Amino acid sequence: MTDAQDTAADSSLRTTGGTPPDDAGSSVMGAPTPLLEPREGIPPVIADAAALDRVIAAFAAGTGPVAVDAERASGYRYGQRAYLVQLRREGAGTALIDPVACPDLSGLGEALSGVEWVLHAATQDLPCLREIGMVPSRLFDTELAGRLAGFPRVGLGAMVEGVLGFVLEKGHSAVDWSTRPLPEPWLRYAALDVELLVDLRDALEKELDRQGKLEWALEEFDAIASAPPAEPRKDPWRRTSGMHKVRRRRQLAVVRELWQTRDRIAQRRDVSPGKVLSDTAIVEAALALPGNVHVLAGLNGFGHRMGRRQLEQWQAAVDRVKALPDSALPQPGQPVTGPPPPRAWADKDPAAAARLSAARAGVTALAERLTMPQENVISPDTVRRICWEPPASVDEESVGAALAGYGARPWQIGLVTPVLVDALSVRG
């Protein structure tokens, strides 16, 4: 058992940052201990095939779960690729791998096949890990475990402090991880992020078991590990910040054209799209429909620092839209595949509105009894869909089948079905 595990080995979790309600009581310790250095020091960054082979062998020979984390360069680079991968496993220590120098980590992924991977907020890191060949077959998500256990704060720093009594430095979370060479303080921070992840996992497993929620958590983790990659968003340009101001079809087409032009430039230059042109500038140009670069230069986001060539590039995009026939302009809004916004239910279908109100109240009460966020008890979208179009015959079997069809896990179906059966029987 490690020193950190020893701090969490009591039957109740040690706390400084807030814990789930504990009917068995909980112990409160003194000031948390700053965690300043990795146990074995900062490991060298793995940046060649020979060093990677040694890491793969070491981690294959290790024991127990493996802690995994990845650092991206969000806000600096195009896309969400990994620029550093951190791992820690008993018997192997900590490894820091440069996926730019070693872009294929499938060998490491295969060596860890069947091993439980411990990640914090797994859905954030799994896409970039998948790109480099690392896909877990089993995982434990410490953030999700914290949510299910009822912790009010589930960031890694808050969880490590609240559960294990150590303070992690978080000063480098938003830096540009594409920087080379990576500064030593950043590497120290990265190594510490996986230093206590398995210890945290062990403590949370005990707490979930004590609350009778461990099987629920395992079902959630299995669902994450088995989920296919997310489908690309349809019409991602419609998510431009400030789109609610844009109403006319030709203005919408300007947003689309500027967004797509910006995306091509950002991808070519490998920079964050926001560094090429801001969403504010895109919306301003769409609303103004400028006739020339002089008018464009006066708009918010197209300031004096933007060169003539850049202005002409954006003006050309606007001019292309002006030349489009009406038939080529996008329609306002997106096709609705689910129920309408709940605010419209009272007018469109009062009975459905009554069902939704009863369902929300029931799920809220259930979540409070479980000391768990409502969205983890059941997806709000699932509740809306079932309330808008309930089964023809409302009973536990039909409602349970409907929940399963929307991807609810067995533990959710067992808890939520009686609540929804009652709610779906309400008459408006």
Side-chain angles (χ1 to χ4, degrees), residues 45-48 71 73 77 81-85 97-105 132 177-180 182 270:
V45 176
I46 304 304
D48 62 69
E71 304 296 346
R77 296 290 182 176
R81 67 172 294 185
Y83 283 93
L84 187 71
V85 175
I97 303 175
D98 180 358
V100 177
C102 302
D104 181 6
L105 298 186
I132 53 179
W177 287 95
S178 69
T179 300
R180 292 297 183 272
L182 286 164
D270 189 20

Side-chain angles (χ1 to χ4, degrees), residues 68-289:
V68 181
D69 191 22
E71 304 296 346
R72 299 179 299 279
S74 303
Y76 298 94
R77 296 290 182 176
Y78 185 87
Q80 293 295 315
R81 67 172 294 185
Y83 283 93
L84 187 71
V85 175
Q86 309 102 278
L87 304 98
R88 182 174 180 84
R89 193 181 189 195
E90 186 71 29
T94 297
L96 304 179
I97 303 175
D98 180 358
V100 177
C102 302
D104 181 6
L105 298 186
S106 57
L108 179 59
E110 291 168 5
L112 296 172
S113 177
V115 175
E116 181 187 81
W117 297 21
V118 184
L119 299 101
H120 193 81
T123 54
Q124 294 183 20
D125 286 340
L126 288 179
C128 70
L129 290 171
R130 183 180 286 112
E131 287 182 357
I132 53 179
M134 296 186 66
V135 182
S137 55
R138 298 169 51 213
L139 64 82
F140 190 107
D141 186 332
T142 50
E143 185 202 47
L144 181 52
R147 292 182 185 278
L148 297 178
F151 281 80
R153 298 167 58 219
V154 293
L156 180 59
M159 294 290 289
V160 167
E161 182 176 338
V163 177
L164 302 177
F166 290 90
V167 178
L168 289 176
E169 180 193 359
K170 298 302 291 182
H172 303 300
S173 59
V175 299
D176 181 3
W177 287 95
S178 69
T179 300
R180 292 297 183 272
L182 286 164
E184 182 177 290
W186 298 12
L187 296 174
R188 180 182 297 108
Y189 158 87
L192 290 174
D193 258 7
V194 292
E195 180 82 3
L196 298 178
L197 208 48
V198 173
D199 305 67
L200 179 61
R201 171 242 181 268
D202 293 343
L204 289 172
E205 181 182 54
K206 292 177 182 177
E207 177 63 13
L208 288 167
D209 191 37
R210 186 189 70 80
Q211 294 186 25
K213 298 175 179 176
L214 182 56
E215 290 303 317
W216 304 353
L218 296 178
E219 287 184 24
E220 291 297 303
F221 302 155
D222 286 345
I224 295 173
S226 60
E231 294 288 333
R233 290 187 182 276
K234 184 179 181 181
D235 293 344
W237 59 270
R238 291 185 184 272
R239 297 176 62 84
T240 303
S241 180
M243 275 289 289
H244 62 282
K245 303 175 187 177
V246 183
R247 304 293 175 84
R248 291 159 49 195
R249 292 177 63 198
R250 200 162 297 274
Q251 292 174 332
L252 289 171
V254 171
V255 173
R256 180 179 64 186
E257 186 67 23
L258 289 176
W259 190 98
Q260 292 174 346
T261 301
R262 177 183 71 174
D263 195 64
R264 289 192 297 270
I265 295 170
Q267 187 170 13
R268 185 179 71 244
R269 291 170 48 190
D270 189 20
V271 297
S272 169
K275 290 186 175 296
V276 176
L277 189 68
S278 70
D279 280 9
T280 298
I282 289 177
V283 171
E284 287 285 322
L287 295 175
L289 291 171

Side-chain angles (χ1 to χ4, degrees), residues 2-33:
T2 66
D3 291 343
Q5 283 175 309
D6 193 47
T7 69
D10 295 336
S11 60
S12 57
L13 295 180
R14 307 188 66 180
T15 68
T16 59
T19 67
D22 185 349
D23 54 13
S26 61
S27 60
V28 178
M29 62 183 175
T33 303

Side-chain angles (χ1 to χ4, degrees), residues 316-337:
V318 174
D319 292 342
R320 286 196 295 273
V321 172
K322 289 182 176 181
L324 290 176
D326 288 350
S327 60
L329 301 178
Q331 294 294 331
Q334 293 176 283
V336 177
T337 56

